[in-house]
Amino acid sequence: MASFITFSLFNLYLALIFAALVTANATFSEHFAKTKLTPTARKMTRLHFYFHDITSGKSPTAMAIIRPKTAFGTTVMIDDPLTVDTKPGSKVVGKAQGFYALASQHDLALLMAINFAFTYGKYNGSTLSVMGRNPVLDEVREMPVVGGSGVFRFARGYALASTVRYSLKTGDAVVQYNVTVMHA
């Protein structure tokens, strides 16, 4: 009789666990399977700033971390200032942090993977993420903005880059960015 009661209690225990798992899984899948309509109101922001890529001097902001025998594959890590003007001492509004690499064997095209981390005004603490191809010899290059944080949560858009100044001697560059993003 004792074994029958033990067997019955064990079966009841298994049935309760199974029911709890089925209920939990149903709740989980029902919760994540629902699609909710959200307001379509999105903000559009346009930004204009300058990216200072400094490879020379005592405090470079761009450093080659991979240097293969050919230029192809050269990878540069950056922590470049973003400013309101082309002058090196102008007001800093953020940093461009990430890397770029020479990703083409046939032309001068970079793979850019960069976060624009803003440190000034209402965008302080917010970021925009850019990842795309940058054919640096083109007058204007377009790269996608693939995300953002803070004020720029759910950001999608594009960045237009154009070189303002480049030194063959030092490798230093100033690049103008015009960025248009849609965000929450």
Side-chain angles (χ1 to χ4, degrees), residues 63-77:
M63 180 82 57
I65 58 171
I66 299 173
R67 288 184 195 249
K69 291 179 183 177
T70 65
F72 174 67
T74 299
T75 304
V76 177
M77 189 65 64

Side-chain angles (χ1 to χ4, degrees), residues 13-124:
Y13 176 74
L14 288 177
L16 288 173
I17 289 177
F18 181 73
L21 288 173
V22 168
T23 304
N25 284 338
T27 303
F28 176 80
S29 64
E30 287 173 10
H31 175 74
F32 288 103
K34 292 180 183 174
T35 301
K36 296 180 182 180
L37 296 176
T38 59
T40 58
R42 294 181 55 91
K43 299 173 190 158
M44 180 190 293
T45 300
R46 289 192 170 109
L47 301 166
H48 178 258
F49 51 84
Y50 295 90
F51 170 112
H52 296 261
D53 199 44
I54 304 162
T55 60
S56 66
K58 293 181 182 180
S59 299
T61 62
M63 180 82 57
I65 58 171
I66 299 173
R67 288 184 195 249
K69 291 179 183 177
T70 65
F72 174 67
T74 299
T75 304
V76 177
M77 189 65 64
I78 65 166
D79 187 19
D80 292 340
L82 303 176
T83 65
V84 296
D85 198 353
T86 61
K87 296 178 183 107
S90 63
K91 180 156 196 61
V92 174
V93 295
K95 294 279 196 155
Q97 299 171 324
F99 69 90
Y100 56 82
L102 188 57
S104 175
Q105 294 183 42
H106 307 291
D107 58 353
L108 197 55
L110 303 175
L111 162 66
M112 306 286 284
I114 295 177
N115 289 314
F116 294 132
F118 298 100
T119 58
Y120 181 76
K122 67 181 178 179
Y123 305 123
N124 184 24

Side-chain angles (χ1 to χ4, degrees), residues 55-56 163 165-174:
T55 60
S56 66
T163 303
R165 191 169 47 245
Y166 176 74
S167 169
L168 283 171
K169 181 179 177 186
T170 64
D172 294 352
V174 176

